[in-house]
Amino acid sequence: MKYTVQKIVVSSEGTPMKLLVLRPNAPSPAAGRPGVLWIHGGGYVTGMPGMVFMSRAKNLVKKYGAVVVSPGYRLAGRAPYPAALLDCHNALVYLKEHAQQLDVRSDQIMVGGESAGGGLAAALCMYEKDTGGVNIAFQMPLYPMLDNEDTETSRDNHAPVWNTRRNHYGWARYLRGLREQAVPACAAAARREDYGGLPPAYTFVSTAEPFYAETLAYIDRLKQAGVEASLDVYPGLFHAFDMLLPFLKVSKKAAAAFEKRFEYAARHCFAEQTGD
């Protein structure tokens, strides 16, 4: 399915923010399309909204007719927490408020992202629930960066792409100015204690990367709270293998499994907005 890319600049906390909007060219179903806020990775310190074109989200537009919005949130070098979170919130509000214009179902707004984008997606679900903001139907935080404290797999990790040293740097930049004991769950989602009422979730992760343990813990805590949540695990692979080596058989397998879960969510996961 062919699609159109639109570049939009919106105001977020008094600063301009670029959004990339990917929309299918085909006629929209009468009920509208799923709308997905897809948040790029980069350890909170690097990355750009154009990374959506090498992410899992592109096929949600091409193959499944979703509308995807990719925000150019402020990176930690420019502004630490909560700047990125608030920018993502404002992008989500844009998606909700322009749902009719974008042919998006207001009761089927989803969030996702990879790495730090996955961490922001999880934190955004918590933020929206706690503040009574946008109701999110489904979350897809892929190999998410959730825990600012070392875990058994992020400690002394020397894997390619992302490792302990880079992880410490990213968190230090993002959380600078916060005392360790005061880090809120909306800054590092692993600090959350109550997982009840969060949106259903799907993710995948590889065993050799730093975020393996925190990803498993996140899904387990959602399940313990009665939230529908599932994950796939791919042994021995490094961080973001699916994006960096998309031609591998295992990367194609991961992409297919992800799309299958999205198809399921598109049929079964809805969250009406307050006042709709």
Side-chain angles (χ1 to χ4, degrees):
M1 187 183 305
K2 294 184 178 180
Y3 63 93
T4 299
V5 180
Q6 185 178 8
K7 298 178 182 179
I8 298 172
V9 177
V10 300
S11 177
S12 177
E13 309 301 311
T15 63
M17 174 174 61
K18 182 171 75 172
L19 304 178
L20 289 182
V21 181
L22 283 60
R23 299 177 63 184
N25 292 342
S28 178
R33 305 179 181 278
V36 181
L37 183 76
W38 194 265
I39 308 170
H40 72 76
Y44 300 107
V45 293
T46 188
M48 64 191 76
M51 289 169 66
V52 70
F53 298 114
M54 60 185 293
S55 77
R56 299 274 62 79
K58 185 174 71 171
N59 271 358
L60 302 186
V61 184
K62 292 178 62 177
K63 296 173 66 174
Y64 303 99
V67 174
V68 169
V69 175
S70 177
Y73 62 86
R74 283 170 289 175
L75 300 175
R78 179 181 173 192
Y81 171 84
L85 178 70
L86 294 178
D87 287 348
C88 291
H89 163 72
N90 289 323
L92 192 67
V93 169
Y94 176 89
L95 180 54
K96 173 188 171 182
E97 292 183 345
H98 293 79
Q100 186 173 5
Q101 176 185 335
L102 296 171
D103 295 326
V104 164
R105 294 187 61 136
S106 64
D107 64 350
Q108 202 164 50
I109 292 175
M110 307 178 183
V111 299
E114 62 280 322
S115 191
L120 280 166
L124 188 61
C125 289
M126 298 171 184
Y127 179 82
E128 301 302 330
K129 178 182 181 296
D130 293 346
T131 61
V134 179
N135 289 331
I136 297 170
F138 191 64
Q139 56 171 313
M140 301 166 280
L142 305 184
Y143 35 88
M145 186 175 176
L146 302 167
D147 203 333
N148 62 305
E149 298 178 0
D150 283 345
T151 70
E152 59 185 280
T153 58
S154 66
R155 182 185 302 109
D156 197 28
N157 187 297
H158 305 285
V161 182
W162 200 253
N163 52 44
T164 302
R165 179 179 59 83
R166 291 176 176 172
N167 203 43
H168 287 173
Y169 176 77
W171 279 117
R173 295 294 289 166
Y174 186 55
L175 300 179
R176 67 183 185 275
L178 289 178
R179 299 188 306 275
E180 185 67 23
Q181 64 270 27
V183 173
C186 287
R191 304 279 71 79
R192 183 82 171 188
E193 295 183 0
D194 179 12
Y195 286 72
L198 292 173
Y202 171 77
T203 185
F204 66 84
V205 69
S206 54
T207 58
E209 72 151 273
F211 302 150
Y212 176 55
E214 60 207 73
T215 301
L216 266 60
Y218 182 65
I219 295 298
D220 186 56
R221 290 166 185 164
L222 286 170
K223 287 181 176 179
Q224 290 176 12
V227 177
E228 183 179 358
S230 62
L231 85 163
D232 289 311
V233 174
Y234 298 97
L237 295 162
F238 54 79
H239 185 67
F241 68 92
D242 64 306
M243 293 177 67
L244 298 173
L245 299 174
F247 50 85
L248 292 182
K249 184 177 180 180
V250 67
S251 298
K252 294 177 181 178
K253 179 181 178 181
F258 166 79
E259 291 172 13
K260 182 177 180 180
R261 294 306 300 176
F262 174 79
E263 279 191 287
Y264 173 87
R267 294 193 306 267
H268 297 95
C269 297
F270 302 91
E272 292 187 5
Q273 303 303 326
T274 303
D276 279 5

